């Protein structure tokens, strides 16, 4: 299903409410809520609202386990552009999540260790009960996580090469495309598909063309987000601008 909101504030609030409801439902069962999280501009207001719910309405994250989708490779976690820094600044520093419940792919591993690490990351998600909810943004290449065009629908967590357009879109954060890492570790499309619920969010007219392809285009690895047309448990949450090219 596709839901279109007036603006990204309203949409983000709605997504944060869904996350909060999941966390509280799990709390009442004495279980953990396992969240798959994204970075980038898109989820910033969702995290802002979750922080507000924690500070003003007492929402507790003590039973929350998180797995981030991706991290650049190589990447030092203390670097300003790392997804570790992003997640702590935008969410984890402001809520009562247990540090050991946070999982973000490690951008510091030596090349030979990556394959085993990725299998372990994948297994860990399963051991902790599987993802209850995965939130996603979408890149202008149609990537979800860093699953660029050509990614297989059954792909797992792995090292990938970033598309040129993805690196260009990240160049502002890195002060030039040449400084953007050429690779990343990302959950696969198959990893994402195992989540019990998936929410893909997109805002602004600059996402309108790729959203049209993702929602209405032929399902193909050329636009990995088209795979999300298949599962029933996926919702595209859009603002009016991102939805403006939909028929
Ligand atoms: C980030 C991620 C990416 C972004 C996408 C959109 O963890 O997995 O797929 O969601 O590149 O980025 P923004 O939100 O910055 O437009």
């Amino acid at each position: 299903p596709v839901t279109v909101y007036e603006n990204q504030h309203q949409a983000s609030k709605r997504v944060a409410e869904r996350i909060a409801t999941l966390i509280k439902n799990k709390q009442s069962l004495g279980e953990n809520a396992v969240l798959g999280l994204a970075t980038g501009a898109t989820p910033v207001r969702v995290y802002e609202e979750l922080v507000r719910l924690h500070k003003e309405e007492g929402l507790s994250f003590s039973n929350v386990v998180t797995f981030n989708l991706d991290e650049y490779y190589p990447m030092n976690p203390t670097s300003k552009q790392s997804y570790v820094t992003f997640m702590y600044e935008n969410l984890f520093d402001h809520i009562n999540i247990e540090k050991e419940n946070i999982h973000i792919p490690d951008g510091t591993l030596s090349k030979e260790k990556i394959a085993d690490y990725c299998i372990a990351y994948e297994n860990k998600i399963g051991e902790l009960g599987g993802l209850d909810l995965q939130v996603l943004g979408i890149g202008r290449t149609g990537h979800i996580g860093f699953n660029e065009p050509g990614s297989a629908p059954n792909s797992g967590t792995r090292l990938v090469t970033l598309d040129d357009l993805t690196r260009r879109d990240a160049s502002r954060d890195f002060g030039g495309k040449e400084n953007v890492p050429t690779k990343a570790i990302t959950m696969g499309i198959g990893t994402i598909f195992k989540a019990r619920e998936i929410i893909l969010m997109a805002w602004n007219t600059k996402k309108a063309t790729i959203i049209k392809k993702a929602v209405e285009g032929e399902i193909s690895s050329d636009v990995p987000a088209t795979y999300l047309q298949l599962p029933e448990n996926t919702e595209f949450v859009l603002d009016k601008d991102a939805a403006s090219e939909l028929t």
Side-chain angles (χ1 to χ4, degrees):
V2 178
T3 317
V4 182
Y5 291 85
E6 194 58 33
N7 56 54
Q8 66 159 293
H9 294 263
Q10 287 175 17
S12 300
K13 226 175 134 110
R14 191 63 206 102
V15 171
E17 274 163 21
R18 269 180 69 178
I19 296 172
T21 302
L22 169 69
I23 294 171
K24 287 187 265 188
N25 286 342
K26 290 285 189 170
Q27 254 153 23
S28 68
L29 297 167
E31 292 175 8
N32 285 337
V34 184
L35 305 178
L37 299 180
T39 59
T42 306
V44 165
R45 293 217 158 75
V46 174
Y47 299 151
E48 216 172 81
E49 176 64 9
L50 287 174
V51 170
R52 193 194 67 77
L53 289 170
H54 171 67
K55 296 209 156 136
E56 295 178 14
E57 300 185 22
L59 177 65
S60 172
F61 290 78
S62 59
N63 68 322
V64 173
V65 172
T66 63
F67 286 91
N68 265 81
L69 280 167
D70 42 24
E71 177 60 285
Y72 291 109
Y73 183 85
M75 179 53 71
N76 190 318
T78 60
S79 142
K80 173 164 118 284
Q81 295 94 354
S82 82
Y83 285 168
V84 172
T85 299
F86 176 96
M87 286 309 303
Y88 277 83
E89 282 182 353
N90 285 281
L91 183 62
F92 299 146
D93 278 341
H94 314 288
I95 59 175
N96 66 328
I97 189 166
E98 305 283 348
K99 235 184 148 168
E100 63 267 25
N101 288 348
I102 295 169
H103 306 88
I104 303 175
D106 184 351
T108 70
L109 297 167
S110 63
K111 272 237 160 79
E112 345 31 292
K113 291 199 172 140
I114 294 178
D116 284 349
Y117 175 84
C118 289
I119 291 169
Y121 197 80
E122 194 87 24
N123 289 344
K124 190 92 199 225
I125 298 174
E127 282 159 24
L128 293 177
L131 300 168
D132 290 306
L133 172 65
Q134 175 67 55
V135 292
L136 299 170
I138 182 172
R140 291 198 299 151
T141 59
H143 71 215
I144 49 177
F146 275 138
N147 294 282
E148 299 285 18
S151 296
N154 61 352
S155 50
T157 302
R158 68 205 187 285
L159 184 68
V160 295
T161 300
L162 296 174
D163 203 272
D164 189 69
L165 176 58
T166 299
R167 292 181 65 228
R168 245 189 290 151
D169 280 346
S171 64
R172 212 175 43 145
D173 292 339
F174 285 85
K177 195 187 90 174
E178 65 281 7
N179 302 324
V180 181
T182 56
K183 295 190 180 290
I185 295 175
T186 184
M187 281 186 199
I189 307 218
T191 325
I192 293 167
F193 267 3
K194 283 188 217 147
R196 288 184 269 277
E197 281 183 277
I198 301 171
I199 299 178
L200 182 143
M201 303 178 287
W203 333 127
N204 302 323
T205 42
K206 79 169 194 216
K207 296 285 173 75
T209 305
I210 195 63
I211 282 295
K212 182 178 176 60
K213 287 187 188 160
V215 175
E216 295 176 351
E218 190 193 328
I219 297 171
S220 143
S221 73
D222 293 346
V223 180
T226 56
Y227 292 129
L228 295 173
Q229 293 174 23
L230 298 170
E232 279 292 317
N233 59 352
T234 298
E235 185 175 357
F236 290 87
V237 172
L238 310 174
D239 73 354
K240 270 196 339 210
D241 291 339
S244 58
E245 288 186 26
L246 295 180
T247 47

